[in-house]
Amino acid sequence: AQSVTQPDIHITVSEGASLELRCNYSYGATPYLFWYVQSPGQGLQLLLKYFSGDTLVQGIKGFEAEFKRSQSSFNLRKPSVHWSDAAEYFCAAYNFGNEKLTFGTGTRLTIIP
Amino acid sequence: GAVVSQHPSRVICKSGTSVKIECRSLDFQATTMFWYRQFPKQSLMLMATSNEGSKATYEQGVEKDKFLINHASLTLSTLTVTSAHPEDSSFYICSALRERYEQYFGPGTRLTVT
């Protein structure tokens, strides 16, 4: 079955440190991939997406993600995190078979001073 | 652009009553909208796909008679939780499809059934 896996349930980083959130997908073909952020009690905001082309994609709020076909990964990165980045992050893949988004289980990011 | 609103943001109702949640795409027309449910510290679970002018498509295990969905216009979809019970308490999030593959999400509605 097609799936999206986020191995890290919770990550804590210091403010100003770099960040990498992991996402792996299991699909027959290269899916369309997304990263969303959810602040407490809020809906989801699209950070970035990958459909094709350049495997390093830039998003909003200083985030970027790199698609690696050989590793079936689409990891999210930020060189220097800010306290306001504390939130839940979801990786998602578009399923061409049923035309729906499949979400990973999310990674909760905590920022410490 | 691509703003989706939900109303209300929070609602508390008594067991056995019905609650309606509205989802609006404010600056684009959405033929397709989606309704998700999210339990605390968990991911989003797709409940149903709402298509303007036709019946909603429900995911397996979702009671269509309990969760009534109406998509009467290109900017409005509603979810009605009928005869709500405490186990229906959850965070409900809608999304609207602006372009193929791109969903824009509302801010969510926190439902508490007492």
Side-chain angles (χ1 to χ4, degrees), chain A residues 9-45:
Chain A
I9 296 174
H10 184 203
I11 284 183
T12 300
V13 299
S14 299
E15 190 169 13
S18 63
L19 169 71
E20 182 168 29
L21 302 181
R22 296 184 291 166
C23 172
N24 294 97
Y25 65 90
S26 173
Y27 276 75
T30 300
Y32 287 1
L33 297 163
F34 305 80
W35 273 101
Y36 290 89
V37 60
Q38 183 181 33
S39 297
Q42 300 295 314
L44 276 67
Q45 181 182 22

Coordinates of all heavy atoms in Angstrom, one line a residue, chain A residues 9-45:
Chain A
I9 N 8.7 11.4 15.8 CA 7.4 11.9 16.4 C 7.6 13.3 16.9 O 6.8 14.1 16.8 CB 6.9 10.9 17.5 CG1 6.6 9.6 16.9 CG2 5.7 11.5 18.2 CD1 6.2 8.5 17.9
H10 N 8.8 13.5 17.6 CA 9.1 14.7 18.3 C 10.5 15.0 18.1 O 11.4 14.2 18.4 CB 8.7 14.6 19.7 CG 8.8 15.8 20.5 ND1 8.9 15.8 21.9 CD2 8.8 17.1 20.1 CE1 9.0 17.1 22.3 NE2 8.9 17.9 21.3
I11 N 10.8 16.3 17.8 CA 12.2 16.8 17.7 C 12.3 18.1 18.4 O 11.4 18.9 18.4 CB 12.6 16.9 16.2 CG1 12.9 15.6 15.6 CG2 13.8 17.8 16.1 CD1 13.3 15.7 14.1
T12 N 13.4 18.2 19.2 CA 13.7 19.4 19.9 C 15.0 20.0 19.4 O 16.0 19.3 19.4 CB 13.8 19.2 21.4 OG1 12.5 18.6 21.9 CG2 14.1 20.4 22.2
V13 N 15.0 21.2 19.0 CA 16.2 21.9 18.6 C 16.3 23.3 19.3 O 15.3 23.8 19.7 CB 16.3 22.1 17.1 CG1 16.2 20.7 16.4 CG2 15.1 23.0 16.6
S14 N 17.5 23.7 19.4 CA 17.8 25.1 19.9 C 17.5 26.1 18.9 O 17.8 25.9 17.7 CB 19.2 25.2 20.5 OG 19.5 24.2 21.5
E15 N 17.0 27.2 19.4 CA 16.8 28.4 18.5 C 18.1 28.7 17.8 O 19.2 28.8 18.5 CB 16.2 29.6 19.2 CG 15.8 30.7 18.3 CD 15.0 31.7 19.1 OE1 15.0 31.7 20.3 OE2 14.3 32.5 18.4
G16 N 18.1 28.9 16.5 CA 19.3 29.3 15.7 C 20.0 28.0 15.2 O 20.8 28.2 14.3
A17 N 19.6 26.9 15.6 CA 20.3 25.7 15.1 C 19.6 25.2 13.8 O 18.5 25.7 13.5 CB 20.1 24.5 16.1
S18 N 20.2 24.3 13.1 CA 19.7 23.8 11.9 C 18.7 22.7 12.2 O 18.7 22.1 13.2 CB 20.8 23.3 10.9 OG 21.4 22.2 11.5
L19 N 17.8 22.5 11.2 CA 16.7 21.5 11.3 C 16.6 20.6 10.1 O 16.7 21.1 9.0 CB 15.4 22.3 11.5 CG 14.1 21.4 11.5 CD1 14.0 20.6 12.7 CD2 12.9 22.3 11.4
E20 N 16.4 19.4 10.4 CA 16.0 18.5 9.3 C 14.9 17.5 9.8 O 15.1 16.8 10.8 CB 17.2 17.6 8.7 CG 16.8 16.8 7.6 CD 18.0 16.1 6.9 OE1 19.0 15.9 7.5 OE2 17.9 15.9 5.6
L21 N 13.8 17.5 9.1 CA 12.7 16.6 9.4 C 12.6 15.6 8.3 O 12.6 16.0 7.1 CB 11.4 17.4 9.5 CG 11.3 18.5 10.5 CD1 9.9 19.2 10.6 CD2 11.7 18.0 11.9
R22 N 12.5 14.4 8.7 CA 12.5 13.3 7.7 C 11.2 12.9 7.2 O 10.2 12.9 8.0 CB 13.3 12.1 8.3 CG 14.7 12.3 8.6 CD 15.4 11.1 9.1 NE 14.9 10.7 10.5 CZ 15.1 9.5 11.0 NH1 15.8 8.5 10.3 NH2 14.6 9.2 12.2
C23 N 11.1 12.5 5.9 CA 9.9 12.0 5.3 C 10.3 10.9 4.3 O 11.1 11.2 3.4 CB 9.1 13.1 4.7 SG 7.7 12.5 3.7
N24 N 9.7 9.8 4.4 CA 9.9 8.7 3.4 C 8.5 8.3 2.8 O 7.5 8.3 3.5 CB 10.6 7.5 4.0 CG 12.0 7.8 4.5 OD1 12.2 8.1 5.6 ND2 12.9 7.8 3.6
Y25 N 8.6 8.0 1.5 CA 7.3 7.6 0.9 C 7.5 6.2 0.3 O 8.6 5.8 -0.1 CB 6.9 8.6 -0.2 CG 7.9 8.7 -1.3 CD1 7.7 7.9 -2.4 CD2 8.9 9.6 -1.3 CE1 8.6 8.0 -3.5 CE2 9.8 9.7 -2.3 CZ 9.7 8.9 -3.4 OH 10.6 8.9 -4.5
S26 N 6.4 5.6 0.1 CA 6.4 4.3 -0.5 C 5.3 4.3 -1.6 O 4.1 4.2 -1.3 CB 6.0 3.2 0.5 OG 5.9 1.9 -0.1
Y27 N 5.7 4.5 -2.8 CA 4.8 4.6 -3.9 C 5.3 3.9 -5.1 O 6.6 3.7 -5.2 CB 4.5 6.1 -4.3 CG 3.4 6.7 -3.5 CD1 3.7 7.1 -2.2 CD2 2.2 7.0 -4.0 CE1 2.8 7.7 -1.4 CE2 1.2 7.6 -3.2 CZ 1.5 7.9 -1.9 OH 0.5 8.5 -1.1
G28 N 4.5 3.5 -6.0 CA 5.0 2.8 -7.2 C 5.7 3.7 -8.1 O 6.7 3.3 -8.8
A29 N 5.3 4.9 -8.2 CA 6.0 5.9 -9.1 C 6.3 7.1 -8.2 O 5.9 7.2 -7.1 CB 5.0 6.3 -10.2
T30 N 7.0 8.1 -8.8 CA 7.3 9.3 -8.0 C 6.0 10.1 -7.8 O 5.3 10.5 -8.7 CB 8.3 10.2 -8.7 OG1 9.5 9.4 -9.0 CG2 8.6 11.4 -7.9
P31 N 5.6 10.2 -6.5 CA 4.4 11.0 -6.2 C 4.7 12.5 -6.2 O 5.8 12.9 -6.3 CB 4.0 10.5 -4.8 CG 5.4 10.2 -4.2 CD 6.3 9.8 -5.3
Y32 N 3.6 13.2 -6.1 CA 3.7 14.6 -5.8 C 3.8 14.8 -4.3 O 3.0 14.2 -3.6 CB 2.5 15.4 -6.4 CG 2.5 15.5 -7.9 CD1 3.6 15.0 -8.7 CD2 1.5 16.3 -8.5 CE1 3.6 15.1 -10.1 CE2 1.5 16.4 -9.9 CZ 2.5 15.8 -10.7 OH 2.5 16.0 -12.0
L33 N 4.7 15.5 -3.8 CA 5.0 15.6 -2.4 C 4.9 17.0 -1.8 O 5.2 18.0 -2.5 CB 6.5 15.1 -2.1 CG 6.7 13.6 -2.6 CD1 8.2 13.4 -2.7 CD2 6.1 12.7 -1.6
F34 N 4.4 17.0 -0.6 CA 4.1 18.3 0.1 C 4.6 18.3 1.5 O 4.7 17.2 2.1 CB 2.6 18.5 0.1 CG 1.9 18.5 -1.2 CD1 1.6 17.3 -1.8 CD2 1.6 19.7 -1.9 CE1 0.9 17.2 -3.1 CE2 0.9 19.6 -3.1 CZ 0.6 18.4 -3.7
W35 N 4.9 19.4 2.0 CA 5.1 19.6 3.4 C 4.2 20.7 3.9 O 4.1 21.8 3.3 CB 6.6 20.1 3.7 CG 7.5 19.0 3.9 CD1 8.4 18.5 3.0 CD2 7.7 18.2 5.1 NE1 9.2 17.5 3.6 CE2 8.7 17.2 4.8 CE3 7.1 18.2 6.4 CZ2 9.2 16.3 5.8 CZ3 7.5 17.3 7.3 CH2 8.6 16.3 7.0
Y36 N 3.5 20.4 5.0 CA 2.6 21.4 5.6 C 3.0 21.6 7.1 O 3.6 20.7 7.7 CB 1.1 20.8 5.6 CG 0.4 20.7 4.3 CD1 0.5 19.6 3.5 CD2 -0.3 21.8 3.8 CE1 -0.1 19.5 2.3 CE2 -1.0 21.7 2.6 CZ -0.9 20.5 1.9 OH -1.5 20.4 0.6
V37 N 2.6 22.8 7.6 CA 2.9 23.1 9.0 C 1.6 23.4 9.6 O 0.7 24.1 9.0 CB 3.9 24.3 9.1 CG1 3.4 25.5 8.5 CG2 4.2 24.5 10.6
Q38 N 1.4 22.9 10.9 CA 0.2 23.2 11.6 C 0.6 23.8 13.0 O 1.2 23.1 13.8 CB -0.6 21.9 11.8 CG -1.9 22.1 12.5 CD -2.7 20.8 12.7 OE1 -2.2 19.8 12.9 NE2 -4.1 20.9 12.7
S39 N 0.2 25.0 13.2 CA 0.4 25.6 14.5 C -0.8 25.1 15.4 O -1.8 24.7 14.9 CB 0.4 27.1 14.4 OG 1.5 27.5 13.6
P40 N -0.5 25.2 16.7 CA -1.5 24.6 17.7 C -2.9 25.2 17.4 O -3.1 26.4 17.4 CB -1.0 25.0 19.0 CG 0.5 25.1 18.8 CD 0.7 25.6 17.5
G41 N -3.9 24.3 17.3 CA -5.3 24.7 17.1 C -5.6 25.3 15.8 O -6.7 25.9 15.6
Q42 N -4.7 25.1 14.8 CA -4.9 25.8 13.5 C -5.0 24.7 12.4 O -4.7 23.6 12.6 CB -3.7 26.7 13.2 CG -3.6 27.8 14.2 CD -4.7 28.8 14.2 OE1 -5.2 29.2 13.2 NE2 -5.2 29.1 15.4
G43 N -5.4 25.2 11.2 CA -5.3 24.4 10.1 C -3.9 24.2 9.5 O -3.0 24.6 10.2
L44 N -3.8 23.7 8.4 CA -2.5 23.4 7.8 C -2.2 24.5 6.7 O -3.0 24.9 6.0 CB -2.5 22.0 7.1 CG -2.3 20.8 7.9 CD1 -3.4 20.6 8.9 CD2 -2.0 19.6 7.0
Q45 N -0.9 24.8 6.8 CA -0.4 25.8 5.8 C 0.7 25.1 4.9 O 1.6 24.4 5.4 CB 0.3 27.0 6.5 CG 0.8 28.1 5.6 CD 1.4 29.2 6.3 OE1 1.9 29.1 7.5 NE2 1.5 30.4 5.7

